[in-house]
Amino acid sequence: MATTTSSRAVGVGRVLVAVYGILALAATGRSVFQIIDRFGEAPIAFTLSALSAVVYIVATVALLLPGCTWYRVAWFTIGFELVGVLVVGTMSVVAPSVLGLHSVNPFGRDATVWSGYGLGYLLVPLALPVLGMLWLYRRRPTVLPEAA
Amino acid sequence: MIEWFTWAQVAVAVLAGLFCLAYGLAGRVPNDYSLGATLLVELLLIAQLVVAIVAPLAGNPPSGSLPEFYIYLISALLLPPLAGFWALIERNRWSTVILGVACLAIAVMVYRMYQIWAFQVA
């Protein structure tokens, strides 16, 4: 049984990893600043923001590293992001007060990477998990011998 | 921030981004043109850093949060070197596309920096 052990980040997958990396950087920078500067204003939203930042970092690493374990980690983190952007995105639009948000403005001072389905990031946070899952599905590890 | 300089910088970053994206999708490996365009974007960011340091002293303070502004600026400054190293290590078309993605992300970040500097109420 020969499993593919190469990195999943080949070809266009490299671009996916790069975009994930940039989003991880953006989400980390923003959440760290918000937590230091104004954590008390919207603790739930900012905690979710920090959590999303960590998940983006893990997803970036998981896409880069080879092996079945990282493949599962990639599925888990990317799935988590899709659920996150859908749930938090919906709540930020329908019931912002539940998250402790003061406005529905995705560019506002308490907006996070998932607010308004990631509108503040040109909807990249919504599109990326879908593209990521399509990519993972195409690059799934096979148990069949594969031409090198 | 200086308004005209900021818009010029956004324009250069968008053009450099689209150029690298098109160049990469056309199958070109990173070369002097695509890396040079990315380098130009980085040099303008360094100029923007100098402007950001000098402007408040010259009677042009930001209306929004200066720490938030610097988080964007420093993140943006990191992207061209990272994408550039990637392009030097891995010589294929996708590295050129990544240079383009980095430049476009910088265009968005510079626009966001301008929002913070000119419109955000701290």
Side-chain angles (χ1 to χ4, degrees):
Chain A
M1 184 175 92
T3 55
T4 54
T5 51
S6 65
S7 170
R8 266 170 293 286
V10 292
V12 72
R14 289 284 195 225
V15 180
L16 195 67
V17 173
V19 176
Y20 261 101
I22 292 173
L23 203 62
L25 185 70
T28 307
R30 188 176 213 173
S31 63
V32 167
F33 170 71
Q34 284 173 326
I35 285 171
I36 292 172
D37 189 61
R38 52 179 86 122
F39 184 69
E41 285 181 24
I44 300 171
F46 295 159
T47 304
L48 282 171
S49 183
L51 182 65
S52 73
V54 172
V55 173
Y56 279 119
I57 293 170
V58 177
T60 308
V61 173
L63 282 170
L64 266 174
L65 296 178
C68 286
T69 310
W70 285 110
Y71 181 79
R72 277 189 217 103
V73 172
W75 264 113
F76 180 77
T77 49
I78 291 174
F80 180 87
E81 278 165 24
L82 185 62
V83 172
V85 73
L86 291 176
V87 171
V88 175
T90 304
M91 281 168 79
S92 70
V93 172
V94 177
S97 58
V98 176
L99 294 172
L101 298 171
H102 302 286
S103 73
V104 295
N105 180 5
F107 304 98
R109 64 184 272 121
D110 51 16
T112 70
V113 69
W114 285 334
S115 296
Y117 303 105
L119 194 59
Y121 294 83
L122 307 175
L123 295 178
V124 169
L126 182 61
L128 212 49
V130 178
L131 294 175
M133 284 175 167
L134 286 173
W135 176 250
L136 281 178
Y137 181 72
R138 274 191 54 196
R139 295 289 307 172
R140 63 191 177 279
T142 55
V143 291
L144 297 167
E146 215 177 26
Chain B
M1 278 178 119
I2 301 164
E3 191 175 354
W4 68 264
F5 179 70
T6 304
W7 289 121
Q9 187 179 12
V10 170
V12 168
V14 168
L15 288 176
L18 292 177
F19 168 73
C20 291
L21 220 54
Y23 215 56
L25 292 175
R28 307 296 289 266
V29 300
N31 61 9
D32 286 355
Y33 296 114
S34 45
L35 281 167
T38 310
L39 181 66
L40 178 65
V41 170
E42 175 76 357
L43 290 176
L44 288 176
L45 282 172
I46 294 170
Q48 187 66 260
L49 175 64
V50 175
V51 170
I53 292 167
V54 173
L57 306 173
N60 175 10
S63 75
S65 163
L66 203 55
E68 192 175 1
F69 174 88
Y70 273 108
I71 286 175
Y72 275 96
L73 183 50
I74 292 165
S75 305
L77 278 164
L78 291 174
L79 292 181
L82 291 175
F85 274 120
W86 194 329
L88 291 174
I89 293 166
E90 202 175 81
R91 320 266 321 147
N92 66 36
R93 63 160 78 181
W94 301 113
S95 297
T96 313
V97 172
I98 288 167
L99 289 175
V101 170
C103 289
L104 291 177
I106 288 167
V108 175
M109 290 164 88
V110 171
Y111 173 69
R112 178 79 188 135
M113 280 155 55
Y114 182 65
Q115 277 188 329
I116 293 168
W117 191 283
F119 302 112
Q120 188 191 66
V121 180

